[in-house]
Amino acid sequence: RMESLPEAVLIRILASIPAVDLVLVCRLVCCQWKNLVDGAALWILKCQQEGLTGAESQDNAENWQNFYFLSKKRKNLIKNPCGEEDLQHWGEVENGGDGWKIEELPGDFGKEFPSEEVHKYFVTSYEWCRKAQVIDLRAEGYWEELMDTTQPKIVIKDWYAGRSDAGCLYELCVKLLSENEDVLAEYKSETISIPQDNDANWTEISHTFSNYGPGVRFVRFEHGGQDTLFWKGWYGVRVTNSSVTVEP
């Protein structure tokens, strides 16, 4: 009988069960199983078995169950971050001047991207070009209690560059939204100006949301820019490899 097994043996048996089944099924079997599923030992074992532990995680993970789920789910929530699918998944597109264009790296008067995995970028024109994505956190598997109680870090990153022969402007604005799309937290960069005759190097911009309070259900990511010489075509800021991640 399962209830007669030593607790350490029962933990090892439970650790072989998929995590979602542990929470949704096994936890409801009896008080003993509930306590084991809610405790740290089972999730520490699962993390160890799946290579999710290390000195840093053991020091910082106060809730091992949440740490496990967040580590397993960690991925870039921005779809089509590098223009491989043209403008697909980007909404609220503003096509100033000649509009957005996708180009191959390094591009004219440009530099290669620091990662060999990135092959394309979006480029803006002589009037403001903006595009946005709204991420539904529940649809991505981040449940309400997790977002309201644990409030995991939401990390925003973007990369931008100019052409070496043209000046340009760049802006990033990210908002954390409620169920009704009220703004609960916001990060807005300054308007970054890149002068003509710049080095065309790629620059990363990042921001981490933490302790943002309960109620966050959506993340709205928007960026854009233009050139400052008003040349017809695509001489404005270049952007690529945008990312939004939820981290333990």
Side-chain angles (χ1 to χ4, degrees), residues 147-194:
M147 299 307 302
D148 292 348
T149 304
T150 302
Q151 295 175 31
K153 291 180 292 185
I154 300 175
V155 181
I156 313 300
K157 296 181 180 180
D158 201 19
W159 288 81
Y160 65 90
R163 295 170 55 117
S164 61
D165 63 340
C168 60
L169 302 175
Y170 166 83
E171 287 183 358
L172 171 66
C173 181
V174 184
K175 299 177 181 179
L176 306 186
L177 306 177
S178 70
E179 176 76 29
N180 298 321
E181 300 192 6
D182 298 321
V183 178
L184 302 180
E186 179 177 6
Y187 168 76
K188 187 171 184 179
S189 73
E190 60 181 346
T191 300
I192 297 170
S193 178
I194 301 175

Side-chain angles (χ1 to χ4, degrees), residues 94 96-97 99-100 123-130 161-163 166-171 191-194 223-231 233-239:
E94 180 181 342
W100 286 97
V123 58
T124 60
S125 190
Y126 59 85
E127 291 180 351
W128 270 98
C129 297
R130 293 183 175 88
R163 295 170 55 117
C168 60
L169 302 175
Y170 166 83
E171 287 183 358
T191 300
I192 297 170
S193 178
I194 301 175
H223 62 182
Q226 68 172 91
D227 80 45
T228 53
L229 302 175
F230 303 99
W231 289 348
W234 297 274
Y235 294 86
V237 72
R238 299 166 169 183
V239 293

Side-chain angles (χ1 to χ4, degrees), residues 21 23 44-45 65 102 125 128 133 150 173 197 221 236 241:
D21 293 333
V23 174
I44 290 174
L45 180 58
Q65 183 182 135
I102 290 87
S125 190
W128 270 98
Q133 280 193 39
T150 302
C173 181
D197 301 319
F221 180 105
N241 206 37

